[in-house]
C-alpha cells in the first residue's frame, strides 16, 4: 500500500495549491509531442515548455504505433495542434531486447525477466504464446527509429501534408536534444 | 518557426542545469501510469511524485488500447514496474465527439474541425474513408471508461493476476483524484 498512500497524500497537496484550473481547453502552443514512457523523460521541462502548452503522447519507445497516430489525428483534427514532435532517447529500454527475445520470454513466463552478461532470463514455469502476434516495436538504431516513425506518420492517409513533423533524439546523460537529419528528409511531403 | 526556436532555447537551458543524469535504469517507485495526452495533465506532479519514479503512458483519453497494453506488459516484464494506475479526467476532449462523428468529419476533410451549438463542422473539400475502420476510443461516461479499461487490462492474456491495477478520475478543476469504485471491482482477478 506504500505507493497508493503516497499518491493520496501527494494529490491532496497538489489539489490544495495547483494553478492549472483555468487553462484553456486547447493546448497553448498548438503542438503534440510523441515520446517514450521512460521514467527519466520529463517532456515539457526538457523542451523548456509549460503545463498547458502541448499534448503529450507516450508509449514504450515513443513509437508511431497505430494508437499514437490515432492520438495525433485526434489532436490535429479535433483539438487544436498544428505541428508534431517525435522524440526518442539514448539508453532506451526498447534497445535492450528484440521482439523475438520478448516473445520467447513471454512463452517462458509472464513474470519479470532480468538480464546478465549471458542475456535475458526469467524463472520460467509457464507463459503464453499470445505475445507471438504482437509487434513489440523494439529497435536497434536510435536515429533510424526516429526516421522510420516520422516517415510512418508522414505517409499515413489521415495525416495532411501541411503538418510539420520533427524528429529528435534526446540524450539522457547530457540532457541535449538533437534533430535527426534523416528524419528531416523523411518528414518532407512527397509531391 | 516560433515553437521550434523556443524548444531549442528551452532545451539548451535544460541541458545546462538538469539533475537527471544519474537516475537508475528502472523507475524508482516501480509503477506505470496510463493517462490522457491532455495538455492540462501533469502526471507526476498531480500524484506528488518525482522525475524517475514511474513510467508514464499517454494517449488520447488514457485508454487501454492494444498499444498501451504493449507498453504496460513491457513495463512489467522487462522494466521493473509492479503496479499500474489508469487515470482519466473530467472535461476530456474524448467526451466531446463520438466515433461516428470523427469518421464523418474525416470523410469530409482531414483539416481541423470546430464545434458550435449545432455540433461539429469542418470546411469539407475532400477527406478520407480511412478513419472508418479505426476505433477512435471516444467515450461518454467517465467512470465507465476507467472501469472498462481496468477490466480490459485485467483480462488481457499477458497480464498476470498479481499485478494491482487502480482506476482513477482526475478532476481538472479541483485537482482532485478519486478512485473509481467499479474499477476496484473490475480489477479483482477472477479465480
Amino acid at each position: 500500500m506504500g505507493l497508493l498512500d503516497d499518491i493520496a497524500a501527494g494529490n491532496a497537496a497538489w489539489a490544495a495549491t495547483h494553478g492549472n484550473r483555468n487553462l484553456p481547453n486547447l493546448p497553448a502552443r498548438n503542438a503534440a509531442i510523441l515520446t517514450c514512457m521512460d521514467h527519466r523523460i520529463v517532456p515539457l521541462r526538457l523542451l523548456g515548455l509549460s503545463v498547458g502548452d502541448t499534448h503529450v503522447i507516450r508509449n514504450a519507445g515513443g513509437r508511431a504505433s497505430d494508437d499514437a497516430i490515432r492520438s495525433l489525428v485526434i489532436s490535429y483534427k479535433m483539438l487544436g495542434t498544428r505541428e508534431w514532435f517525435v522524440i526518442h532517447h539514448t539508453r532506451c529500454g526498447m534497445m535492450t531486447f528484440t521482439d523475438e527475445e520478448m516473445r520467447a520470454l513471454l512463452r517462458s513466463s509472464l513474470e519479470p525477466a532480468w538480464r546478465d552478461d549471458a542475456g535475458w532470463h526469467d524463472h520460467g514455469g509457464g507463459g503464453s504464446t499470445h505475445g507471438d502476434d504482437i509487434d513489440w516495436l523494439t529497435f536497434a538504431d536510435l536515429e533510424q527509429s526516429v526516421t522510420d516513425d516520422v516517415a510512418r506518420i508522414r505517409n499515413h492517409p489521415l495525416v495532411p501534408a501541411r503538418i510539420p513533423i520533427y524528429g529528435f533524439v534526446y540524450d539522457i546523460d547530457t540532457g541535449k536534444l538533437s534533430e535527426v537529419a534523416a528524419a528531416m528528409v523523411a518528414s518532407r511531403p512527397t509531391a
Side-chain angles (χ1 to χ4, degrees), chain A residues 7 35 38 80 108 167 174 176:
Chain A
I7 280 175
T35 192
D38 192 283
S108 165
T174 65
K176 285 185 187 163

Side-chain angles (χ1 to χ4, degrees), chain A residues 105-106 108-114 121-128:
Chain A
L105 287 162
L106 288 169
S108 165
S109 165
L110 302 185
E111 296 301 332
W114 67 91
H121 313 275
D122 60 30
H123 286 294
S128 164

Side-chain angles (χ1 to χ4, degrees), chain A residues 110-140:
Chain A
L110 302 185
E111 296 301 332
W114 67 91
R115 190 165 58 136
D116 62 21
D117 290 345
W120 285 91
H121 313 275
D122 60 30
H123 286 294
S128 164
T129 58
H130 195 87
D132 290 359
D133 300 323
I134 294 175
D135 189 343
W136 293 96
L137 304 178
T138 59
F139 54 94

Side-chain angles (χ1 to χ4, degrees), chain A residues 10 14 19 23-24 33 47 50 57 62 64 90 93-94 101 106 132 137 140 158-159 170 188:
Chain A
W14 164 261
L23 290 173
I33 294 158
L47 297 169
S50 303
I57 300 157
T90 60
M94 297 297 283
E101 285 173 314
L106 288 169
D132 290 359
L137 304 178
L158 295 179
V159 174
Y170 176 68
R188 284 183 203 143

